[in-house]
């Protein structure tokens, strides 16, 4: 069965396209058959002559709606907010149409040397274009409201709801669980509670089952196909909330907190308000779906081009490593990626083969374990080139936080608040932290980099990715931050 948010996306795509197609048909009739525009009146015109134009116009509107963020889940958001977003998208679309029509005529006059002032052919159409825009807005918004009504009717009957778990059998947790139960049209269903006192308490709390302790979360998420959790822990100290978050930040979940707990962690990271409930979403992922897909396409294209262009450099690096010290050319190591997925990362070897004979450790300034060639490879970031293969495989992105080793993650998640939140992002070959800070040499460095990583997560966009990639070129050329 399709979950509410997936069905919502499918219906919005179909509904939006049908709405703009209806508007196209109406616009065609007004222009050629109504007689309202005398110089365009032509009853012999057939709409079949404009099939291709209608397809591209409809696709253009859907693309614009995607770019402006209309294809998100609106089940927990205000319908008024959705209508306002539709209005913004339509205004941008009409402005683009006007610029296209009047701009092309302006350029034509400029090239032909004709006067730039005076009446324009499309000047008389201005009001009709605005009416067309009003029609698109009204129809798209109306269809979306009908879809919202249809989805809410399905959800009230128990179809397609997303499952939630509540952490903490508290009064605040009970209030939220009952609120969701009374509002099934929001598409969220509480399947049970988790509590640290599970072994010494009743396994039912106000009509909801108590399913286990926080440490059981990973198994229960898989068993009940949970998409989100509500933290209603009975302690309001930052230390206790941090401890709770260490169990959940590396899971693919929406994390909601009640306002009292949000006040404890406010100032750390941004949140999204959940409309109609006393909840706020923590670590909300705000990158539009279309940007996520473009980001992946960009990863593949850039990684492939870089692999081809740097192949001669890689050959020279391999030869230099072999001549400089005994041992393999490549250094392979298991790293932790998105939501805790393990994968092998490959780099050109820059240290002696016995570098970790005393166990895993960070590199230090002027580290004696680094070889002569290794110093150069690290300074120029050439040692990172083999990781482009990880980007092509999809384990890494071109831009993201540094992929860390499991042994360090287990230590750092207990020492640094919200450190595990990095696992909500696919690791990257370069990133905001990498270009803003040097290699990790201490716990303070890790904390500083976490701030940069979470800034990237909260502001993730293609524009920021391009900014980081260009800054990476500067870092490579200057050697800034290398060690």
């Amino acid at each position: 069965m399709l979950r509410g948010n997936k069905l919502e996306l499918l219906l919005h795509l179909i509904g939006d396209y049908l709405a703009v197609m209806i508007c196209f048909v109406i616009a065609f009739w007004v222009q050629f058959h109504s007689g309202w525009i005398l110089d365009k009146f032509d009853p012999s015109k057939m709409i079949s002559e404009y099939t291709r134009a209608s397809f591209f116009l409809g696709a253009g509107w859907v693309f614009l709606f995607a770019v402006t963020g209309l294809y998100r889940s609106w089940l927990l958001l205000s319908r008024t907010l959705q209508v306002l977003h539709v209005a913004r998208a339509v205004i941008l679309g009409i402005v683009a149409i006007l610029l296209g029509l009047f701009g092309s005529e302006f350029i034509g006059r400029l090239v032909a040397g004709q006067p730039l002032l005076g009446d324009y052919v499309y000047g008389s159409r201005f009001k009709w274009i605005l009416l067309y825009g009003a029609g698109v807005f009204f129809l798209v918004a109306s269809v979306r409201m009908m879809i919202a009504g249809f989805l809410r009717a399905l959800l009230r009957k128990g179809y397609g709801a997303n499952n939630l778990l509540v952490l903490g059998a508290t009064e605040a947790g009970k209030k939220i669980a009952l609120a969701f139960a009374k509002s099934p049209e929001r598409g969220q269903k509480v399947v049970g509670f988790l509590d640290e006192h599970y072994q010494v308490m009743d396994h039912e709390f106000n009509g909801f089952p108590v399913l286990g302790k926080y440490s059981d979360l990973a198994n229960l998420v898989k068993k009940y196909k949970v998409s989100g959790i509500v933290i209603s822990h009975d302690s309001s100290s930052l230390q206790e909330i941090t401890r709770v978050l260490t169990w959940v930040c590396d899971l693919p979940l929406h994390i909601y907190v009640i306002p009292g707990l949000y006040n404890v962690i406010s100032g750390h990271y941004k949140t999204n308000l959940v409309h109609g409930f006393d909840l706020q979403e923590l670590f909300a992922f705000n990158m539009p779906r279309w940007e996520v897909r473009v980001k992946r396409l960009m990863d593949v294209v850039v990684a492939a081009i870089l692999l081809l262009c740097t192949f001669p450099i890689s050959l020279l690096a391999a030869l230099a490593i072999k001549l400089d010290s005994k041992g393999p050319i490549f250094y392979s190591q298991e790293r932790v990626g998105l939501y805790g997925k393990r994968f092998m990362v490959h780099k050109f070897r820059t240290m002696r083969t016995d570098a970790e004979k005393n166990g895993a450790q960070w590199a230090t300034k002027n580290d004696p374990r680094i070889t002569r060639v290794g110093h150069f490879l690290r300074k120029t970031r050439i040692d990172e080139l083999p990781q482009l293969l990880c980007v092509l495989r999809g384990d890494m992105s071109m831009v993201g936080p540094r992929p860390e080793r499991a042994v360090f993650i287990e230590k750092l998640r207990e020492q640094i608040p919200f450190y595990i939140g990095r696992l909500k992002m696919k690791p990257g070959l370069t990133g905001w932290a990498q270009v803003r800070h040097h290699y990790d040499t201490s716990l303070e460095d890790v904390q500083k980099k976490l701030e940069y990583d979470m800034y990237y997560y909260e502001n993730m966009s293609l524009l920021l990715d391009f900014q980081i990639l260009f800054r990476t070129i500067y870092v490579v050329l200057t050697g800034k931050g290398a060690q």
Side-chain angles (χ1 to χ4, degrees):
M1 181 190 299
L2 282 176
R3 292 293 180 189
N5 52 353
K6 292 183 178 179
L7 179 60
E8 179 186 28
L9 173 62
L10 179 62
L11 291 176
H12 280 163
L13 285 168
I14 296 172
D16 290 345
Y17 190 79
L18 288 177
V20 295
M21 285 297 98
I22 292 172
C23 288
F24 181 86
V25 171
I26 294 173
F28 172 84
W29 177 82
V30 168
Q31 185 165 222
F32 298 114
H33 292 260
S34 68
W36 297 342
I37 306 176
L38 296 179
D39 59 330
K40 282 291 184 177
F41 182 67
D42 187 357
S44 65
K45 285 282 187 181
M46 301 294 292
I47 196 167
S48 58
E49 300 174 35
Y50 293 87
T51 301
R52 182 177 297 179
S54 67
F55 171 78
F56 283 110
L57 184 62
W61 277 112
V62 170
F63 175 76
L64 177 62
F65 293 160
V67 169
T68 52
L70 282 178
Y71 296 122
R72 69 184 75 177
S73 177
W74 295 94
L75 292 173
L76 286 176
L77 299 175
S78 165
R79 281 179 286 185
T80 302
L81 182 64
Q82 183 179 183
V83 170
L84 290 175
H85 275 71
V86 171
R88 182 187 66 173
V90 171
I91 289 171
L92 290 174
I94 294 302
V95 169
I97 290 173
L98 290 173
L99 288 175
L101 293 175
F102 289 95
S104 61
E105 190 174 351
F106 177 84
I107 293 172
R109 290 190 179 195
L110 190 65
V111 172
Q114 298 175 353
L116 299 180
L117 300 177
D119 293 334
Y120 280 76
V121 172
Y122 290 103
S124 61
R125 310 279 193 275
F126 185 76
K127 64 178 181 181
W128 296 109
I129 295 171
L130 293 182
L131 284 173
Y132 167 73
V136 170
F137 164 72
F138 176 77
L139 204 54
V140 169
S142 297
V143 170
R144 281 177 167 256
M145 292 302 100
M146 286 190 287
I147 289 173
F150 172 71
L151 285 173
R152 294 188 175 203
L154 285 180
L155 291 166
R156 287 191 192 98
K157 294 181 180 295
Y159 295 112
N162 297 309
N163 291 334
L164 297 178
L165 286 172
V166 179
L167 271 64
T170 65
E171 283 300 310
K174 180 185 75 171
K175 180 180 177 182
I176 291 298
L178 292 175
F180 276 122
K182 292 177 181 177
S183 304
E185 68 275 7
R186 296 292 185 181
Q188 313 297 316
K189 176 185 176 183
V190 174
V191 295
F193 282 77
L194 276 72
D195 197 276
E196 286 294 75
H197 303 103
Y198 172 75
Q199 294 175 330
V200 295
M201 64 182 296
D202 291 337
H203 291 176
E204 183 176 314
F205 181 70
N206 284 280
F208 296 92
V210 181
L211 302 171
K213 299 187 298 182
Y214 298 161
S215 57
D216 300 321
L217 187 60
N219 292 329
L220 292 171
V221 165
K222 184 181 297 184
K223 179 178 179 180
Y224 291 97
K225 298 179 179 179
V226 173
S227 64
I229 59 139
V230 178
I231 299 178
S232 65
H233 196 64
D234 55 6
S235 171
S236 59
S237 72
L238 178 59
Q239 183 178 2
E240 284 298 307
I241 302 307
T242 301
R243 190 177 67 83
V244 173
L245 287 173
T246 60
W247 293 106
V248 301
C249 282
D250 55 346
L251 295 174
L253 298 170
H254 293 281
I255 302 173
Y256 304 106
V257 292
I258 60 176
L261 300 183
Y262 167 70
N263 292 334
V264 178
I265 57 175
S266 62
H268 288 271
Y269 305 111
K270 293 187 296 186
T271 63
N272 281 350
L273 179 66
V274 178
H275 179 72
F277 295 92
D278 291 331
L279 287 176
Q280 293 188 270
E281 185 177 3
L282 185 63
F283 301 118
F285 185 74
N286 294 314
M287 193 176 194
R289 291 174 182 267
W290 74 273
E291 285 199 27
V292 173
R293 295 186 178 93
V294 173
K295 179 179 171 71
R296 175 57 188 154
L297 178 62
M298 184 177 72
D299 286 343
V300 173
V301 172
V302 173
I305 292 174
L306 285 178
L307 275 173
L308 289 174
C309 293
T310 60
F311 184 68
I313 298 175
S314 296
L315 286 179
L316 290 174
L319 180 61
I321 292 169
K322 208 63 180 172
L323 294 174
D324 181 57
S325 62
K326 294 181 179 180
I329 294 172
F330 298 102
Y331 177 64
S332 299
Q333 195 176 71
E334 186 182 71
R335 297 291 175 99
V336 180
L338 181 66
Y339 294 126
K341 178 186 176 183
R342 307 294 180 93
F343 68 97
M344 295 302 295
V345 70
H346 311 286
K347 301 173 71 172
F348 284 120
R349 183 174 60 85
T350 59
M351 290 188 175
R352 301 192 313 264
T353 54
D354 63 347
E356 293 195 334
K357 61 182 179 181
N358 296 320
Q361 54 186 294
W362 284 311
T364 59
K365 190 173 183 179
N366 300 319
D367 198 316
R369 299 174 299 162
I370 301 175
T371 63
R372 290 172 298 175
V373 169
H375 278 292
F376 175 77
L377 295 180
R378 281 175 169 247
K379 190 174 183 64
T380 57
R381 305 297 174 106
I382 292 174
D383 64 319
E384 309 279 356
L385 289 178
Q387 292 184 68
L388 290 168
L389 295 172
C390 298
V391 176
L392 288 178
R393 287 201 308 261
D395 293 323
M396 293 177 60
S397 174
M398 285 301 300
V399 180
R402 176 187 173 185
E404 194 53 87
R405 298 166 67 177
V407 61
F408 290 139
I409 286 179
E410 290 306 313
K411 292 179 181 178
L412 295 169
R413 71 188 294 168
E414 300 294 339
Q415 300 178 48
I416 302 176
F418 314 114
Y419 178 81
I420 207 70
R422 296 170 78 254
L423 297 185
K424 285 188 168 291
M425 297 171 276
K426 187 179 289 187
L429 188 66
T430 184
W432 190 240
Q434 290 94 309
V435 299
R436 300 287 296 182
H437 203 67
H438 53 69
Y439 278 109
D440 302 338
T441 59
S442 66
L443 189 62
E444 290 72 22
D445 287 334
V446 176
Q447 290 175 317
K448 188 65 178 178
K449 275 197 167 183
L450 176 62
E451 294 178 14
Y452 288 129
D453 287 333
M454 296 313 296
Y455 171 86
Y456 173 73
Y457 180 78
E458 293 174 350
N459 299 278
M460 196 182 298
S461 68
L462 293 178
L463 183 61
L464 183 56
D465 277 11
F466 282 120
Q467 181 183 348
I468 292 170
L469 288 173
F470 282 117
R471 189 173 179 86
T472 300
I473 296 173
Y474 166 76
V475 170
V476 170
L477 293 177
T478 61
K480 180 182 178 182
Q483 181 170 282

